[in-house]
Amino acid sequence: MRSRVHRHMASVLPELFDDEPAAMACLSVAGPLDAEEKEPVLPPEFNWRDYTTMLLHVAAEIEHSLMVQYLFAAYSMGGPQVPEGLRDKVRGWQEVILGIAKEEMGHLVTVQNLLTSLGAPINLDREDYPWGSDFYPFPFTLRRLTRESLAAYVVAESPAKWTDDIAERVKKDAEVAVGQEVNRVGELYGRIDKILSNREHIPDELFHAETLPYQASWDEWGRGYTRGERGQEAGNVPDVKSPELLVFGVFSRDSARKALHEVGEQGEAVDVDEQAETSHFKRFLGIYLELEKLPRAEQDKVSRPIAENPVTAHRLNESVMVQLGAKTVTTSPITDPFTALWGHLFNLRYRMLLTDISHAFRLSGPLDNGGVLTGRGALVHRAFAEMYNLRALAGRLVELPLDKDHPDGPRAGPPFEMPYSLELPDRDHDRWLLQRDLVQASRLLTDQLLETNPDCARDPYVVALRESDRRALEQIEHILSRKGCTG
Amino acid sequence: MTRILELRVLPPLAIGRLGAAAEPMDNYTAEPDPDEPLAPRVLVPAPTLRVDPDSGEIVDDKAPEQLRFTDGHGKVKPVAPFLEVWALTDDDRKLHPLTVDLLRANKLEPKDVRWCVRVGNHKIERRTYNLDDRIDADTGWFSDHGEHGLNGECANFLTGKTLPLGHARYIKPTTKYPGIRLRFTPAAGNVYGSGGTVGDHDPNVVDALYDATKGTWRGHVDEPGDPRLTIPGQIYAGDDEQRGWVSRGYLDDECDGLVHVELTVDGRKLKAYGRIGAGPPAYAPDSIPVRTIADELDQALYGPKARREDTAEDAHKVAEEVLRRALESVRLMNTAVMNGNTVDGRVDAASTMVRQDSADTGRTFEPIMAPSLVDTAAVFALHQNVLAALRSGTAPWFADVLRDHDEVGDLSAKGRRKMPALMRGADGRSLALTRRQVDLVRKAARQEIFRQENLRHDRGADESGGPA
């Protein structure tokens, strides 16, 4: 994916191609990105609709990647080493970062809505590590939460003109973590918005309102989180506001631009208000400034000792350099066989989550007050169920050893490895066959867990997961026996 | 000497369940199945005190081999609770069961214990505000071991008619079962009607007790806007007519009241009482509602907040129990209808949460959740998955979406979607867990991330489902 997207990037980030061959020079009329009066230039091989689709695909990958990295950082936090006096703070920070990750999920599905509205295929893909891209703020790397990794997130979400003393400090820290200058993610939305605002580029008739029933809605994906304004919840962390999950349906040019604007406001817009409490930037920076005040030894105790980029056994001994001048980023193979099985289970449930979301986009929601029920609601629930499973499995993996020879060494952490494919079959019946394949694969993995360690038969989660899979299989068989679900 | 200072009746509140079978229901417990933790609880027979119908003595306390909720002839076995007398004694100032030996140590015999049971059914009076519609039963004081009928009397009953509200019996102590206890056996669970008009025949009622020429119960209509009425209304059987919801004049044989016990020790008359009540049988005995009287008592005892003594493990178990009960409730609901979805094109198809929200507020009739999300099978599966994830020891992340006690009237979309969803309390507003339940779930959510289970996989985990 990277190489295929990369060759079109000069249209958006021409300054990165200053030293490229002359053939790219013609694209430099796009000008520096902070010059608002400059108009986007259509790169070769595209028309405007297709180009917008490509940019939205890139946006989707970025949202997906950020979500996963933020989740990894949040999951890493905690552990018995956290000093008693710091626990309330750490719990609050974890809640903030989980909240930001949830908001990234809202961005991700909103981008899918934009794609659907334009009649383009959705994109839930992302590169595995180690990966760097011109567009991407920093090479995709799963890191436990440290001051430096946090600094990278602050910079990635920062406003265009952020140049005070704090900025200098944070950027320096970010470079330590990433090994290169961290890009901002806000540029891309500005570029897409510029294109969408132009009727010449994207005529009105290209926005398909009739796709709304297929798009994700806040009612389905919001789960009680605030819409529109962040509210103070009497939650488990009193001072942390609940996430503001934005999921916008797109049915017109205005609704498309509003969606982009709101998503940008939440953290990635070029001209985001630095003081806005809602921005990801502000929230990350708040944690950074607090963390910075702690003695170094305490800073290191905020998260568990988790390896960087844990990968499952089929990639043992791999060590790959990230390109584009980034510092060496290596994967950390999980060599403990028992931990590796949990890692595989994590990857599989991650695939099931992506499959559920993708499958839900293929089915329309009810068109009226609810007289007609579809399989879509069931798939949305299944997607959330997998999020809960991922959280449970991550909870295990942050406690289990990475290396079989060093049981007291680094912990593994959730690998978040991408499946070989996210393509769905055309026929709904076949999509449910895929669902069955995945549940059966989960069953095989839990069988292996039991073979490797018979004590798992008493593990309440394994017992419950196997039962849950058995029941899921029954439901899927029921759907299959009726020769297809619901269209 | 062990001198009796005070008496207590324990439990202080016992709830019987109606049933027409001669033999009362056996004892049992409802426990999660360790092999299928997402399945309904398993009913396990438990030791049961069996009373000889002639002598009134307990003859054994075996657990039955098999549980049966009916007698095999379509009659439901009533749940007939025992109330025990306990005594505070001067030697250690602690409560001990009152037994024949303890009585004798105080120069008393079982016959010196006196009982009196008074129960009532005031449902009709609650609607008509007419004292002549009160139904009360009083056994008077007794010390024998025979059955004492609880025959409800009412000024507006037909001549010679009483409402059978069950019976009470002072269990005869024996050497093997020397405790002093009373058994309350509730009534059959019948529906009675209002007579007084020639030619009446109603297949729902077993007998006519109420004199419709004296009282106004048959044909009663609640006065609109009466602030004393409960919300939601229409809690009596009736018909929708032009003048309102018109009572059919039915009455049932539920009741509640007091069991008094009296004993004179050294010339001092000691008294105590316990409460009893009777309600319909449990038709889902393997399910427990998300909020029960036990939760209320827990809160009354320990306060509305999690205490220092409540460990993270205790809190996690409460979180898991809440989830399990939610799962059990979903199993019994048509969530799509409760949500206010259309049914075959009809809106407002049944008495739902949505209707209750709309009834007294003029709020627009509108589904609570997205209509696509409330298919019962899908919601049930989701609850199972949440329960499964919790059993990993994961912190309960749903603490933030629990409804607080002061949010039951929040009719915003967000407020209505909080958990527990689609369920109402007695006042027609959304149900909230007790403050203590909520605080314990939040405590679990706060503390779990600092836990470490080293080498969990080498030793498995505990059976309870909570973190070891």
Side-chain angles (χ1 to χ4, degrees), chain A residues 352-371:
Chain A
M352 290 163 92
L353 165 64
L354 298 174
T355 304
D356 289 337
I357 296 174
S358 186
H359 193 166
F361 267 90
R362 297 286 189 101
L363 302 173
S364 76
L367 297 172
D368 64 1
N369 197 15

Side-chain angles (χ1 to χ4, degrees), chain B residues 155-363:
Chain B
N156 281 336
F157 272 5
L158 294 163
T159 308
K161 295 281 190 180
T162 56
L163 174 64
L165 295 172
H167 64 264
R169 185 171 204 171
Y170 177 13
I171 300 300
K172 189 174 184 182
T174 61
T175 310
K176 192 172 176 194
Y177 303 98
I180 301 300
R181 44 168 75 85
L182 176 135
R183 186 173 219 187
F184 164 54
T185 304
N190 290 326
V191 175
Y192 298 87
S194 300
T197 307
V198 178
D200 270 3
H201 174 70
D202 186 334
N204 291 323
V205 303
V206 295
D207 194 10
L209 304 183
Y210 188 88
D211 187 342
T213 63
K214 285 201 281 187
T216 58
W217 179 230
R218 192 165 78 179
H220 168 84
V221 177
D222 284 341
E223 191 178 330
D226 183 346
R228 297 168 295 183
L229 296 176
T230 51
I231 298 291
Q234 296 185 355
I235 59 170
Y236 53 86
D239 296 292
D240 204 1
E241 296 179 13
Q242 197 165 359
R243 62 194 179 102
W245 188 252
V246 181
S247 167
R248 292 181 186 170
Y250 289 174
L251 51 150
D252 63 46
D253 51 12
E254 294 178 4
C255 68
D256 62 86
L258 300 175
V259 170
H260 299 269
V261 66
E262 212 176 75
L263 185 64
T264 302
V265 182
D266 288 343
R268 287 193 315 125
K269 190 181 275 187
L270 304 180
K271 297 178 182 179
Y273 67 88
R275 295 179 187 277
I276 53 172
Y283 286 105
D286 52 358
S287 300
I288 300 177
V290 289
R291 178 172 176 162
T292 67
I293 290 173
D295 300 311
E296 310 292 338
L297 294 175
D298 193 53
Q299 176 164 282
L301 197 58
Y302 298 120
K305 293 272 178 195
R307 301 167 305 151
R308 188 180 293 275
E309 296 88 329
D310 296 311
T311 64
E313 287 73 22
D314 295 336
H316 194 100
K317 280 180 185 166
V318 169
E320 192 180 313
E321 176 69 10
V322 164
L323 229 293
R324 182 178 298 285
R325 294 194 212 162
L327 175 67
E328 289 164 352
S329 299
V330 169
R331 187 169 63 110
L332 303 171
M333 293 164 73
N334 185 333
T335 45
V337 169
M338 291 303 288
N339 186 54
N341 284 14
T342 52
V343 177
D344 297 331
R346 283 183 303 143
V347 292
D348 195 14
S351 178
T352 63
M353 244 348 269
V354 182
R355 181 189 287 176
Q356 306 309 337
D357 285 351
S358 309
D360 61 331
T361 62
R363 190 186 187 286

Side-chain angles (χ1 to χ4, degrees), chain B residues 31 34 39 50 61 73 119 143 150 173 184 198 258 291 347 357 374 396 406 429:
Chain B
E31 299 165 9
R50 206 159 56 81
D61 58 5
H73 304 287
V119 295
S143 292
L150 294 161
F184 164 54
V198 178
L258 300 175
R291 178 172 176 162
V347 292
D357 285 351
V374 286
D406 55 358
R429 289 286 171 260

Side-chain angles (χ1 to χ4, degrees), chain A residues 207-432:
Chain A
F207 295 96
H208 295 291
E210 72 276 13
T211 61
L212 264 180
Y214 291 88
Q215 295 180 28
S217 74
W218 186 84
D219 282 346
E220 288 176 331
W221 294 88
R223 295 278 145 170
Y225 290 104
T226 316
R227 170 164 52 179
E229 93 184 44
R230 298 184 68 223
Q232 181 68 60
E233 293 292 294
N236 46 347
V237 183
D239 297 329
V240 176
K241 291 180 175 174
S242 62
E244 182 188 6
L245 203 67
L246 304 175
V247 180
F248 289 93
V250 176
F251 49 91
S252 64
R253 182 185 317 281
D254 278 353
S255 59
R257 293 191 65 201
K258 179 173 169 58
L260 283 173
H261 180 74
E262 295 283 343
V263 165
E265 278 275 292
Q266 206 169 52
E268 290 95 348
V270 176
D271 53 356
V272 67
D273 177 3
E274 205 177 304
Q275 301 305 313
E277 269 197 19
T278 57
S279 79
H280 293 180
F281 164 66
K282 198 79 183 167
R283 278 181 268 167
F284 275 137
L285 182 61
I287 300 174
Y288 177 91
L289 293 174
E290 284 194 80
L291 191 61
E292 193 188 31
K293 282 188 212 145
L294 299 176
R296 189 79 216 189
E298 284 209 4
Q299 289 178 19
D300 285 341
K301 288 182 179 166
V302 165
S303 57
R304 298 173 192 258
I306 293 171
E308 196 166 286
N309 292 332
V311 289
T312 45
H314 68 284
R315 295 177 62 176
L316 286 183
N317 303 321
E318 183 176 335
S319 172
V320 181
M321 295 282 286
V322 168
Q323 297 182 6
L324 299 169
K327 75 162 191 173
T328 305
V329 177
T330 54
T331 54
S332 305
I334 301 172
T335 58
D336 182 298
F338 186 69
T339 310
L341 282 172
W342 283 100
H344 284 302
L345 191 55
F346 184 91
N347 286 340
L348 176 63
R349 305 308 301 205
Y350 180 42
R351 182 179 176 194
M352 290 163 92
L353 165 64
L354 298 174
T355 304
D356 289 337
I357 296 174
S358 186
H359 193 166
F361 267 90
R362 297 286 189 101
L363 302 173
S364 76
L367 297 172
D368 64 1
N369 197 15
V372 182
L373 288 173
T374 71
R376 178 183 164 103
L379 286 163
V380 172
H381 282 312
R382 289 167 72 92
F384 277 95
E386 293 316 333
M387 291 180 209
Y388 306 144
N389 272 323
L390 289 184
R391 189 171 176 141
L393 290 162
R396 285 293 159 91
L397 284 157
V398 298
E399 295 184 351
L400 291 172
L402 178 84
D403 188 338
K404 67 178 186 307
D405 298 325
H406 297 92
D408 295 323
R411 306 290 96 182
F416 278 110
E417 289 171 285
M418 284 298 283
Y420 76 92
S421 169
L422 289 169
E423 291 293 313
L424 290 184
D426 286 340
R427 295 195 316 142
D428 197 48
H429 180 269
D430 299 335
R431 293 195 279 268
W432 285 102

Side-chain angles (χ1 to χ4, degrees), chain A residues 426-456:
Chain A
D426 286 340
R427 295 195 316 142
D428 197 48
H429 180 269
D430 299 335
R431 293 195 279 268
W432 285 102
L433 283 178
L434 171 63
Q435 295 275 10
R436 187 173 71 179
D437 294 341
L438 298 178
V439 179
Q440 286 175 342
S442 173
R443 192 75 185 188
L444 291 174
L445 272 173
T446 47
D447 282 348
Q448 277 181 280
L449 273 175
L450 290 168
E451 278 167 30
T452 311
N453 189 334
D455 279 348
C456 277

Side-chain angles (χ1 to χ4, degrees), chain A residues 220 233 235 338 381 453 455, chain B residues 36 372-373 400 414 457-458:
Chain A
E220 288 176 331
E233 293 292 294
F338 186 69
H381 282 312
N453 189 334
D455 279 348
Chain B
E36 286 194 67
S372 57
L373 292 185
D400 276 341
K414 185 181 169 204
H457 56 286
D458 284 346

